[in-house]
Each structure stands twice: as C-alpha cells, then as structure tokens.
Amino acid sequence: MVVAHSFGGFTGPLVCERVPVDLLVMLQAQVPAPGETPGEWWENTGYGPARRESDRARGVAEGVEEDERALFLHDTPAALAEELLAEHGRRQSATPFGTPWPLDAWPHVPTRFLLAAGDRFFPPAFLRRHVEERLGFRPDEMPGDHLPMLGHPEELAERLEAYRAGR
C-alpha cells in the first residue's frame, strides 16, 4: 500500500508505476492530470475560488492570512502542532512546481481517497469535487485537519487497515 498525502499526490502514482503495489490511498492529496505541473494544478482545479469561498463561510475576511496552526493544524493536539512547527517546519522548494506530471494516465492500481473533513487548506467541498472530476468516485471521509495522521492517528490507522483488508 502506498499512502500519498497532500503534495505527495504527485508522487504516489509514480511509485505505483515503478514497484508492485496493491493499493494507492490518496490522503488529502492533490490529484494530478497527465502533463500538469504542480504549479498549474492550483488554477486548473479552481482551488483559489474554492478556498476563498470556504474561508468566507468560516468568517475569514478576504486577504487575511491565517497562521499555519490555524490553517493546517487546528485539529492537532496543541503540543504536537507546536513541536511540528518549531522543529520540523521547512519550506517546499519551488523546483517541483514547474515539472510536468509524467504519466499519460492514472496507474492501473486500485485507488482510494480519504478526505479529512475539517481541513481548511484543502476545503472538503473542493476536494470532493476534485476527486470526483479526476478519479471518478466519491472520497471516503474522516475527521481531521490537513494532517489527520497527527490529530487522528488511530482512526487513520484503522481506515488504512480496513482498506488493506478489502473493506
């Protein structure tokens, strides 16, 4: 099983093309289209308008930038979120954003999508539409923010185990 989280949605399917994999699980992941760069993904998917709409519905004024804790980690235990931000935070290199996704089609491997219903960075309504448009099915849902592996590790492990067992 390969689990691809967030930007890892551009990488997980590539792994599936190179090694034997029984299942690909996309977790709060970007779903690339053939030839699309990660930089193009944001506009191609309508992320900006969807995010602004979600922010407005949550009462966030346009142009107001939320801090990383509020945006990504609001459902993660505070001490764990602070440790992550203080000790493990680093910025993503800009280099990958200009590299086209090299596959001609989605890999021939069973794929599931698990959506964290409380994510503010990738709003749930946006991800539901994105998954249906690009993968052709509705995602499964669980509680959590953008990093459900930190805020809901037991539930995530149970979901992954159920997927592995074919449930």
Side-chain angles (χ1 to χ4, degrees), residues 83-118:
E83 177 185 347
L84 175 74
L85 293 171
E87 303 196 17
H88 303 289
R90 62 184 171 146
R91 297 289 174 213
Q92 170 68 50
S93 165
T95 303
F97 288 93
T99 304
W101 194 61
L103 299 183
D104 294 328
W106 200 253
H108 295 289
V109 62
T111 302
R112 303 288 296 259
F113 196 104
L114 187 53
L115 179 153

Side-chain angles (χ1 to χ4, degrees), residues 65-166:
E65 282 293 319
E66 291 182 277
D67 68 21
E68 290 178 322
R69 173 107 170 83
L71 185 59
F72 295 101
L73 299 161
H74 59 89
D75 194 40
T76 297
L80 186 55
E82 294 309 316
E83 177 185 347
L84 175 74
L85 293 171
E87 303 196 17
H88 303 289
R90 62 184 171 146
R91 297 289 174 213
Q92 170 68 50
S93 165
T95 303
F97 288 93
T99 304
W101 194 61
L103 299 183
D104 294 328
W106 200 253
H108 295 289
V109 62
T111 302
R112 303 288 296 259
F113 196 104
L114 187 53
L115 179 153
D119 191 352
R120 294 174 179 168
F121 183 63
F122 287 160
F126 163 75
L127 271 186
R128 285 183 202 105
R129 178 182 51 77
H130 180 54
V131 171
E132 288 181 24
E133 288 174 355
R134 297 239 171 143
L135 295 176
F137 60 84
R138 288 193 55 87
D140 296 324
E141 297 190 26
M142 65 174 284
D145 54 28
H146 192 67
L147 294 147
M149 67 288 278
L150 298 179
H152 297 271
E154 291 91 8
E155 182 166 351
L156 177 58
E158 289 170 5
R159 296 285 187 120
L160 295 175
E161 178 56 28
Y163 288 162
R164 188 201 61 74

